[in-house]
Amino acid sequence: MATNNRLGHEKISKLLFALAIPSIIAQLVNILYNIVDRIYIGQMTDGTSAMAALSVALPILTFITAFTQLVGIGGAPLCAIKLGEQRKDKAEEIMTNSFVLLIVVGILLTIVVLIWQEPLLLLFGANEETLSQAISYISIYALGTIFVQITLGMNAYINTQGFAKTGMCTVVIGAIFNIVLDPIFIFWLDMGVAGAALATIISQGVSAVWVLIFLFGKKSTIKIRKQYLKPNWHICLSIMALGISPFVQTATESLLQISFNNQLLIYGGTMAVATMAILMSLWQFITLPLQGLCQGAQPIMSYNYGAKNYTRVRNTFKLVMKVCLGFAFIASGTVMLFSEFFVSIFSNDAQTIVFSSWALRVFLIGSGMFGAQIACQQSFMALGQAKVSVWMAITRKIILLIPLIYIFPYLLGGSSLATSIAGPIASMVHDGSRVFAVLFAEPVSDILAAIITTFMFIRFYKKELKQPDQIIED
């Protein structure tokens, strides 16, 4: 059965998991891809300070990923919608324009990071103890920016055609190379954090080659076409209009990391900043599989929305919501219950393990509700609702979380409740009650954002998805 026929007619539960399982596996492997550096770095002799150095470099890495989503991933739903409308030529034009944008942005970001890396790292929470290692890492990582752009940005066009297994292989190949190369460069060649960065960019380069071989090859339903290499600015703006939502969501993740780093440095010192890298790594253990599920649902929802088959859109969303909520609660509960085990993967320092285990339980209190947040957020994107999706991305981090990171230390810091909860780590940091207040901003924001986003999607659902089907036949 052709891919388009599958998207329009195959049983939804079977199709969703056929597309989502490879994406989920890819995201689970991607967790290893993202955190394997941190696992090895945490086992170094100066692991805590090295982990803190990586933590202050993470906002730059996140910002690079945000631009990938702006000009790459943002076009994938548009591409799927055009395939649903049986307009293959437009789908190819969208993909080719996205490819050109990724190359241009990759070059520009490389130049910016190499020129301004030191002031950026100082702004993001580096101090005398961590700056030199952070520079060692980011100066090498920046050289592979264009590989990151191609791998992440163009892999979305493989997944959106329904080739989820091929998209999974993109991540698996890179992860295997990274896992093998990391110990060689970090320990055997004694390159430390610089070796971790070198292993990462080599791995991303291999993945980028894999993606391009597929998209230029015979198996891809749509191709990168020479006649579309000259940018069509109307299409480029359309790609960025939809890509602005994941861009804002990821770029604000960078601002979020900066806010956490700066506040934790003030109240908790280097160890608290190092802990943030561990918390973000384990947060990915919960969120990346959810993103994999939503990636599996995206082609189904986008294609059938374009084909005006609203029943399939509704049924797909309902299933996605149930699975996202179930997984988020189970995964976050597991990580909280066995927090010391998960933290010990990243550190062999007893004090860091105690502190990070306590911080993790505070940080994840509200993370089960994130399942509803991401299900609705990604569904808005799959259905081309750029403006609403942007606002939902802004609400959680810009309107709620980042302000609370700065407000809560004044509202809750020093209170009997905060002091009591911070008791186990009081002797390890300058002000335990305010460290608790900074971390507690996360669960409060998760719960409030999930409620708001779900309410907004219910309104859209009743207005737009309750229409009778007007199926466009293949």
Side-chain angles (χ1 to χ4, degrees):
M1 183 182 289
T3 299
N4 287 357
N5 284 333
R6 290 185 67 203
L7 294 174
H9 302 289
E10 191 170 308
K11 184 179 178 182
I12 290 174
S13 58
K14 178 182 177 182
L15 179 61
L16 174 61
F17 289 107
L19 295 175
I21 287 175
S23 294
I24 291 170
I25 293 173
Q27 293 292 359
L28 288 171
V29 174
N30 201 29
I31 293 174
L32 291 177
Y33 203 136
N34 289 333
I35 70 175
V36 70
D37 290 350
R38 301 166 211 178
I39 293 173
Y40 284 119
I41 287 171
Q43 305 306 317
M44 292 168 56
T45 304
D46 56 347
T48 299
S49 61
M51 186 71 77
L54 183 58
S55 185
V56 299
L58 285 178
I60 297 178
L61 275 59
T62 305
F63 203 59
I64 289 171
T65 302
F67 275 96
T68 304
Q69 295 172 325
L70 176 67
V71 300
I73 293 175
L78 289 177
C79 184
I81 289 171
K82 294 305 177 184
L83 287 173
E85 295 172 351
Q86 307 305 307
R87 301 180 67 186
K88 183 180 175 182
D89 58 331
K90 277 295 179 184
E92 291 184 330
E93 188 173 7
I94 289 168
M95 183 173 73
T96 305
N97 273 255
S98 184
F99 175 69
V100 174
L101 285 174
L102 286 165
I103 297 295
V104 173
V105 169
I107 294 170
L108 292 175
L109 286 174
T110 301
I111 295 170
V112 169
V113 173
L114 289 176
I115 293 175
W116 287 292
Q117 55 184 310
E118 183 171 341
L120 286 172
L121 290 168
L122 289 170
L123 179 66
F124 298 166
N127 57 16
E128 291 182 0
E129 188 178 355
T130 59
L131 180 61
S132 62
Q133 292 189 85
I135 290 175
S136 295
Y137 186 89
I138 205 64
S139 59
I140 293 176
Y141 185 93
L143 297 175
T145 298
I146 197 164
F147 298 145
V148 177
Q149 298 290 304
I150 293 173
T151 299
L152 299 181
M154 296 310 295
N155 199 46
Y157 289 92
I158 295 177
N159 289 324
T160 206
Q161 295 176 62
F163 296 107
K165 290 182 180 178
T166 304
M168 176 188 72
C169 288
T170 302
V171 180
V172 171
I173 290 169
I176 291 172
F177 269 84
N178 200 33
I179 291 169
V180 172
L181 293 177
D182 255 333
I184 294 173
F185 291 142
I186 294 173
F187 299 112
W188 189 45
L189 296 179
D190 197 26
M191 295 178 66
V193 293
L198 182 58
T200 297
I201 67 170
I202 291 173
S203 304
Q204 290 282 13
V206 173
S207 293
V209 171
W210 167 270
V211 168
L212 293 179
I213 287 174
F214 181 84
L215 291 176
F216 280 102
K218 295 179 180 179
K219 291 184 179 180
S220 181
T221 305
I222 53 177
K223 315 288 185 187
I224 295 174
R225 299 292 184 184
K226 182 178 180 180
Q227 64 264 35
Y228 300 133
L229 287 175
K230 183 178 180 180
N232 179 322
W233 294 112
H234 175 73
I235 290 177
C236 290
L237 290 174
S238 297
I239 290 171
M240 288 187 284
L242 191 54
I244 195 77
S245 173
F247 171 80
V248 169
Q249 189 167 349
T250 304
T252 52
E253 188 73 22
S254 182
L255 295 176
L256 176 61
Q257 291 165 352
I258 295 166
S259 300
F260 271 125
N261 284 344
N262 284 319
Q263 286 291 84
L264 289 174
L265 183 63
I266 293 170
Y267 302 118
T270 299
M271 184 172 62
V273 175
T275 290
M276 202 64 231
I278 298 174
L279 298 186
M280 288 298 183
S281 298
L282 292 169
W283 176 244
Q284 289 180 328
F285 174 77
I286 298 169
T287 59
L288 288 183
L290 292 175
Q291 289 180 20
L293 177 70
C294 292
Q295 285 176 8
Q298 180 261 309
I300 307 172
M301 297 182 73
S302 298
Y303 179 88
N304 286 287
Y305 190 65
K308 302 186 186 302
N309 190 345
Y310 300 114
T311 298
R312 284 180 69 81
V313 177
R314 292 195 300 269
N315 291 339
T316 302
F317 169 74
K318 290 175 184 177
L319 183 57
V320 169
M321 174 64 94
K322 292 176 184 177
V323 177
C324 281
L325 275 173
F327 179 85
F329 275 101
I330 292 171
S332 60
T334 301
V335 173
M336 291 172 69
L337 186 62
F338 302 102
S339 58
E340 288 190 9
F341 166 75
F342 284 102
V343 167
S344 66
I345 295 172
F346 299 90
S347 178
N348 54 14
D349 179 73
Q351 192 174 50
T352 301
I353 291 173
V354 171
F355 179 86
S356 299
S357 299
W358 170 86
L360 186 62
R361 290 190 290 270
V362 174
F363 194 75
L364 295 182
I365 293 172
S367 57
M369 288 299 293
F370 186 75
Q373 165 80 17
I374 196 168
C376 295
Q377 173 80 30
Q378 294 297 315
S379 294
F380 273 128
M381 183 179 172
L383 300 175
Q385 303 301 307
K387 291 182 179 179
V388 181
S389 194
V390 168
W391 276 108
M392 293 305 98
I394 290 173
T395 296
R396 178 174 172 266
K397 293 171 185 173
I398 299 296
I399 297 177
L400 292 172
L401 183 48
I402 291 177
L404 290 180
I405 289 172
Y406 292 94
I407 293 170
F408 271 10
Y410 294 97
L411 292 181
L412 300 177
S415 67
S416 57
L417 175 63
T419 302
S420 175
I421 295 174
I425 54 96
S427 63
M428 304 178 192
V429 295
H430 172 63
D431 191 333
S433 68
R434 285 180 168 79
V435 169
F436 161 76
V438 171
L439 296 173
F440 190 61
E442 177 72 33
V444 172
S445 301
D446 287 341
I447 293 169
L448 291 176
I451 293 171
I452 294 169
T453 306
T454 303
F455 173 75
M456 293 297 294
F457 193 84
I458 289 172
R459 287 185 60 189
F460 173 80
Y461 183 98
K462 290 179 178 179
K463 182 179 179 181
E464 299 293 336
L465 300 182
K466 284 288 189 179
Q467 301 179 57
D469 296 346
Q470 303 170 38
I471 303 173
I472 301 173
E473 295 294 341
D474 292 342

